[in-house]
């Protein structure tokens, strides 16, 4: 999606621009992660696909509607970008 560089970020739920700054996000009973399947990898233990996960640890809250938008930290995002050619979204989720 294209957005002009000087445009204020908007809430994906209501479209308002009243967003709190990025803050730390965690899940108390484990880690929130996004997973990608490794291209061309052989099935792992018990036939499962080989996958790689990235920690979701950043959030922004819309001050207008309360919607929470999650994201990767800068280092996790860079790791994903570095490996993107070897990964694909997991199907059947």
């Amino acid at each position: 999606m294209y957005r002009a560089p000087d445009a204020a970020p908007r809430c994906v739920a209501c479209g308002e621009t009243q967003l709190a700054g990025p803050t730390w996000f965690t899940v108390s009973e484990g880690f929130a992660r996004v997973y990608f399947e490794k291209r061309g990898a052989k099935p792992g233990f018990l036939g499962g696909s080989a996958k790689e996960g990235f920690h979701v640890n950043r959030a922004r809250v819309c001050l207008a509607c309360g919607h929470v938008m999650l994201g990767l930290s800068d280092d996790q995002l860079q790791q994903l970008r570095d490996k993107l050619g070897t990964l694909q979204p997991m199907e059947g989720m």
Side-chain angles (χ1 to χ4, degrees):
M1 178 196 300
Y2 173 78
R3 180 170 64 89
D6 58 346
R10 294 187 173 273
C11 174
V12 298
C14 72
E16 289 293 328
T17 58
Q18 302 172 28
L19 301 179
T23 189
W24 182 255
F25 169 80
T26 188
V27 176
S28 62
E29 297 297 322
F31 295 102
R33 296 172 72 95
V34 292
Y35 287 95
F36 290 86
E37 191 171 27
K38 294 181 180 179
R39 291 183 195 270
K42 295 182 181 181
F45 185 65
L46 299 177
S49 64
K51 62 187 177 197
E52 182 147 358
F54 300 88
H55 293 285
V56 176
N57 55 9
R58 184 167 43 180
R60 290 188 84 166
V61 178
C62 176
L63 301 174
C65 74
H67 182 76
V68 178
M69 294 168 278
L70 302 177
L72 303 176
S73 65
D74 291 339
D75 64 322
Q76 287 289 285
L77 180 57
Q78 187 58 50
Q79 287 180 30
L80 174 58
R81 287 175 176 155
D82 291 344
K83 297 178 180 182
L84 202 53
T86 64
L87 301 174
Q88 64 190 22
M90 295 192 68
E91 295 183 19
M93 301 307 292

